[in-house]
Amino acid sequence: MNRKIIIDTDPGQDDALALLLALSAPDCLEVCGVTTVAGNVPVDQTCINALRICQLAGRPEVPVFKGCPRPILRPLHTAEFICGADGLAGMALEAPRQGQQQAHAVAFLIDTLRHSDRPITLCALGPLTNIALALVQAPDISDKIEQCIIMGGARDLGNMTAAAEFNFFVDPHAASIVFASGVPIVLFPLNATYQAVATPARLAGFDRQASVSRQIVSMLRRERPGGAALGGDDGHPMHDACVIAYLLWPELFEGRDCNVEIEIAEGTTVGRSTIDWWGRSSAKPNAHVVATLNADAMFERMAGAVRALDQNGGKPGDMN
Ligand code: BDR
Ligand code: CA
């Protein structure tokens, strides 16, 4: 039986690859819906981007829901300096022909989890605002969450501030709620995802003759508007793609169970994740924290997955 998932996301180039990957494997992953949140760019734009990516994948029937326009307490910080004004590095993908769903993302999360015949895995690729609010509004849904696989945090330094990674910095209160909720969590912090840089050598494995592959490679090779990002000049780190790759190929990843806490006090460390890797505190593990991955194999398999989308009718879009 395939695994049911909901993808909560703020596309974002790395979110885009994650979505394509999830949509490429219907035999393993049933994507019940995509919920969007404000993060890399405001939520109107992340919603349009999610619709565009589903269309590009040849899967326009996948329902997309717009979620929260801002974090729970803090003002919204966005990341156009990495993603460009449109969130997808100026990639002029075809405008979506399908619209977003009427329901709010939080309502969709609650209803879908409550009425599902089996537990659902949540793939959290952006600030955790929608998922935290769903858990606050309907704590009973936690029994229906098989796992919450999260990209966020850092065992070492941050990428948004010296202390904090972007997703947790944007909505630390939401992250704190999710980590305290007791749902089974797998965490992909920066120290793991910076191993998944889309270098020219790794991108060479994508089939440039095929439409979806060509477009995704073109997007990943574009200059980052803010110049070289942390993690080096070799390419974009595919942070969020790790979450879906983990579901498809868990044997490529290693980690351990740890306690994770999120700093919510305002100041230089707001949004910091304290990951108790060495078990120094008596606090119980509340997450499985991934530390290493086989990035070459991951990119090889991702190239194959995107090629499968092309073979199954991914639709061309207009690139500028
Ligand atoms: C995370 O922040 C976003 O910019 C990326 O899409 C990823 O989810 C990395 O810190
Ligand atoms: Ca993201």
Side-chain angles (χ1 to χ4, degrees):
M1 195 187 287
N2 61 5
R3 189 164 176 158
K4 281 182 158 190
I5 64 171
I6 297 174
I7 304 176
D8 189 68
T9 178
D10 62 336
Q13 299 102 313
D14 57 331
D15 305 71
L17 180 56
L19 282 168
L20 290 178
L21 209 53
L23 296 172
S24 76
D27 292 346
C28 307
L29 302 177
E30 178 185 337
V31 182
C32 304
V34 175
T35 53
T36 58
V37 67
N40 282 319
V41 284
V43 71
D44 285 346
Q45 189 63 38
T46 61
C47 193
I48 289 171
N49 290 348
L51 290 163
R52 283 174 157 160
I53 300 295
C54 292
Q55 182 168 286
L56 176 68
R59 300 284 308 277
E61 80 286 359
V62 173
V64 174
F65 299 82
K66 197 196 288 187
C68 296
R70 48 157 287 191
I72 294 175
L73 286 179
R74 307 183 78 222
L76 176 64
H77 292 264
T78 51
E80 286 87 354
F81 62 97
I82 293 289
C83 302
D86 68 346
L88 296 178
M91 187 175 169
L93 276 182
E94 206 175 24
R97 287 182 292 277
Q98 75 281 25
Q100 74 202 51
Q101 303 294 307
Q102 288 292 318
H104 191 279
V106 175
F108 168 75
L109 279 163
I110 294 172
D111 286 354
T112 309
L113 284 159
R114 275 187 177 155
H115 297 120
S116 177
D117 54 342
R118 55 200 157 94
I120 299 179
T121 293
L122 304 183
C123 301
L125 313 181
L128 288 161
T129 320
N130 290 334
I131 294 174
L133 288 181
L135 284 165
V136 169
Q137 208 177 313
D140 56 289
I141 61 173
S142 58
D143 289 346
K144 299 295 279 292
I145 299 176
E146 186 171 9
Q147 277 184 323
C148 188
I149 309 184
I150 299 172
M151 191 283 131
R155 215 177 66 189
D156 312 311
L157 301 175
N159 60 353
M160 188 61 178
T161 67
E165 178 278 334
F166 178 78
N167 290 336
F168 288 2
F169 175 82
V170 172
D171 200 339
H173 300 92
S176 177
I177 288 168
V178 172
F179 277 87
S181 70
V183 303
I185 291 174
V186 177
L187 180 66
F188 278 85
L190 288 177
N191 50 291
T193 61
Y194 270 138
Q195 295 163 48
V197 170
T199 62
R202 288 172 179 159
L203 290 180
F206 285 70
D207 180 0
R208 307 291 170 86
Q209 304 307 314
S211 169
V212 183
S213 303
R214 187 175 65 247
Q215 294 183 73
I216 200 78
V217 169
S218 159
M219 181 182 72
L220 298 184
R221 288 171 59 97
R222 288 170 175 232
E223 293 273 310
R224 283 160 287 198
L230 303 178
D233 286 335
D234 258 5
H236 292 265
M238 290 297 99
H239 304 290
D240 295 336
C242 295
V243 168
I244 306 296
Y246 175 78
L247 283 175
L248 295 174
W249 312 298
E251 67 279 9
L252 300 183
F253 302 86
E254 280 182 13
R256 65 169 70 153
D257 295 347
C258 302
N259 183 264
V260 180
E261 277 182 31
I262 314 299
E263 177 64 83
I264 55 172
E266 288 299 332
T268 50
T269 57
V270 67
R272 179 191 148 84
S273 50
T274 299
I275 299 175
D276 190 9
W277 185 252
W278 298 112
R280 305 306 297 178
S281 79
S282 53
K284 281 206 192 116
N286 57 356
H288 180 76
V289 179
V290 176
T292 54
L293 52 97
N294 182 342
D296 287 335
M298 178 178 142
F299 273 85
E300 223 177 282
R301 294 184 194 192
M302 290 198 297
V306 180
R307 192 178 309 120
L309 273 180
D310 273 307
Q311 284 159 358
N312 296 333
K315 302 285 185 301
D318 298 318
M319 292 289 302
N320 59 10

